[in-house]
Amino acid sequence: MAGSDPKDNPYLAHHYNGRKGAGPSTPSPSIKEPLSGFRPRKVTGEQVRKALNGDINPFTKQRHTPQYRKILEARKKLPVYAQMDEFLKIFSENQVIVVVGETGSGKTTQIPQFVVYSDLPHTKGKLVACTQPRRVAAMSVAKRVADEMDIQLGRHVGYSIRFEDMTEPGTTFLKYMTDGMLLREAMKDPSLERYSTIILDEAHERTVATDVLMGLLKGVAKRRSDLKIIVMSATLDALKFQNYFSLRSGVSTPLFKVPGRTYPVEVIYTQEPEPDYVEAAIRTVLMIHRAEEEGDVLVFLTGEKEIEDACRKIRLDAEDLINQDSESVGPLVCIPLYSSLPPQQQQRIFDAPPAARSTGGPRGRKVVVSTNIAETSLTIDRIVYVVDPGFSKQKGYIPRIRAESLLVSRISKASAQQRAGRAGRTRPGKCFRLYTEKDFMSEMEEQTCPEILASNLTITVLELVKLGIKDLVRFDYVDAPAPEALTRAIELLYYLGALDNGNLTALGATMAEFPIDPQLSKLLIVSPEFKCSNEMLTITAMMSVPNVWFRPYDQKQQADAAKALLTLPDGDHLTLLNVYNQYKRNIHDKNWTWTHFLSHRALQQAGNVRAQLQRTMERFNIDLLSLSDEKELYTNIRQTLVCGFFMQVAHKGEKGNYLTVKDNQIVVLHPSCGLKPQPKWVLFNEFVLTTGPFIRTVSEVKPEWLLEYAGGYFDISTFPKGETKRALQRIINKKASKSSARVDSGKDDRKAKKKKNKGMKTKVSNKKKV
DNA sequence: GAGCACTGC
């Protein structure tokens, strides 16, 4: 038989030779090669089971540890393990497979291992990739699978996320990674040649990156018959993916179903709609505490204020309840949970429930009141009761006015199902839905809106163009964005100079290398012309991370006072620069961030992003410059901002309110804005519709700069009639009369000329990069 | 008078 001597097996020769005389753990030649007789993609379940039960690890050639055997026995109890033969058969016979499995099915850990045993990527110098929407998931699943395979993490099994590559080139053949990371790799190699199989996990979450990858991979599969694709999803939108990959390819995509392994959850609806869901949620928590047996409670609300208010009321009401009947009602702790909470406070959700006040007395209960963060990102143990009012804050995007929105909206059925599932992780549970069954059936959407339909697509469009997609409107999206969303993105890229006649310019190609919004990468590229690239690097990094300011519910005044100390009057962008510089100056003082109400995690992340962006700048020979004169430096920084954010400018009208230029939208400075007094012209980073039309991260600009550095957009003839146009016209007239007066007197406006040269230099240096 | 959750060689 071919496998009697491992050297006869072409797939194992490399490994066998590599181990020759490698020490006491080297198997003697009499021990049979664990993978002998394995033919790639023709492997059977029987063969895999035999290898799994064998003494020798087929990948490391070491003896299996006792720990391995223990984990293997647990793996054998997973529902998916029993379906190994069926999976391997489908994998052998198809190029694309859709896998559906509820939580607890083991699909994320087991399917990639089945694939490895069948595909044998290490024998052809390829990898199997499995993508996750979140970094923590990629890391923790890779660790788990490395343990299951008896392999040191980072060797044959590894992970790759932004800022951390835990893989060994040439050795790693199973790689967990974030979906964004694979998308970045695709921009370098659009056929993803390194991979023999790509598994897109959690596809139902429909992140922009997963959606773009699905569209891309559908095309790659046609060119590369050797590439296998597996799309894994938790809910029944798997049918949608199945149709998507079958359509027009002429081959139907099989569906592989894996049963979940969670405990049953009883779902209880209200008889009548609840007019006030917060009040109803509080009432339900107390009803559970009074009447239901032991077990912790998870309540879903929509935001920080709502959660803090509800926690306070629950604590007060629980106290009343205990005072009335301390014999039968146990102690209760109520813990808020949302992302902007400092990490130490987030940790409280893992505390044990309070102990009974006396031995034999009524048991204590933990209540966690959380945003959607507990729906997917964080898992809390021992939750038995879920209270689901049916709402969450959801992001939207209005392309017409380029505004993001964040509004309380009804959740989808899929989301409600996910919330209910959180009650059944340790034992059978109950889910109290604070809406009627009729509303569930008729008022709620099946699926949460895919992110690609609710996002600003500027960076996505730039990525697609870089991936070689010529016709963005006819690209094969799973769900196509509104044409207006695409045209608005294309328009902005055109004004930024990234696109020309539908083609990527040299400038655009450079911009695409930066993992930040195109407006921001444009700033970095032009900043040397204004001698402030070191500072722009900091500011763009700070604008690319979450809000660095904490504003705890019960210390608002102290937080505001701390923030005022670091605020610069010229604008929020310069304040961001100041905060980062002060943070670096005080980096050895462990209490500094805490006493200034700043998020250490966010600032650290800004440092990481800054270093990454700096490496990219160096790669493209973009000079890192600073000016020693602070006043001039600050002015130049604000001028640089105009080069990227010229479309995000507002002008204060005669009535004292701000109007965005061209779109004429009424906007209000966000209360977090540090500008005083309110200037005539402002440039902003974000326009968000929440409780009002707010602009956030705002700096003062001079109208002359708009005409000078963004003349293409500020072409007066393209402006709608109105206050803003009249104001700009006045500036132009003033300038014209000034310069004609100067020409008459034979003087030269040296300053204006110098600035003009700057703009030209920018253009020339962009062209140099062709 | 105030922001759900993620992510990026």
Side-chain angles (χ1 to χ4, degrees), chain A residues 113 144 157 183 219 228-229 244-245 263 326 344 348 364 416 451 461 482 570 593 615-616 655 715 727 767:
Chain A
Q113 293 187 66
R144 171 70 195 177
V157 179
L183 189 57
K228 288 197 188 260
I229 296 160
Y244 172 72
F245 279 101
Y263 296 92
S326 61
Q344 304 104 299
R348 289 185 59 209
E451 220 176 51
V461 166
D570 297 327
T593 47
R615 284 195 297 274
T616 311
K655 287 179 194 147
D715 174 356
K767 275 195 180 140

Side-chain angles (χ1 to χ4, degrees), chain A residues 491-506:
Chain A
E491 180 194 26
L492 174 53
L493 289 169
Y494 167 79
Y495 278 120
L496 285 170
L499 293 180
D500 187 27
N501 285 325
N503 294 314
L504 195 64
T505 61

Side-chain angles (χ1 to χ4, degrees), chain A residues 30 219 267 319 341 632 687 704 719:
Chain A
S30 62
V267 175
E319 230 168 88
L341 211 56
E632 199 186 342
F687 173 15
E704 293 83 358
F719 271 69

Side-chain angles (χ1 to χ4, degrees), chain A residues 622-667:
Chain A
I622 302 168
D623 293 333
L624 292 165
L625 306 172
S626 289
L627 280 169
S628 51
D629 183 307
E630 194 174 75
K631 193 161 173 269
E632 199 186 342
L633 175 69
Y634 283 1
T635 302
N636 283 17
I637 288 171
R638 288 186 292 136
Q639 289 173 341
T640 312
L641 290 171
V642 171
C643 299
F645 286 90
F646 48 83
M647 292 176 92
Q648 285 162 225
V649 170
H651 170 232
K652 190 151 83 173
E654 283 140 19
K655 287 179 194 147
N657 51 15
Y658 284 101
L659 291 171
T660 59
V661 299
K662 285 202 188 177
D663 291 336
N664 276 320
Q665 284 294 314
I666 293 179
V667 290

Side-chain angles (χ1 to χ4, degrees), chain A residues 675-691:
Chain A
L675 274 181
K676 255 179 238 163
Q678 296 192 352
K680 271 269 174 206
W681 297 82
V682 293
L683 171 151
F684 54 91
N685 181 38
E686 288 177 296
F687 173 15
V688 288
L689 288 166
T690 49
T691 53

Side-chain angles (χ1 to χ4, degrees), chain A residues 36-47:
Chain A
S36 68
F38 278 50
R39 287 161 57 222
R41 300 180 169 182
K42 299 272 187 283
V43 177
T44 65
E46 198 188 341
Q47 286 177 302

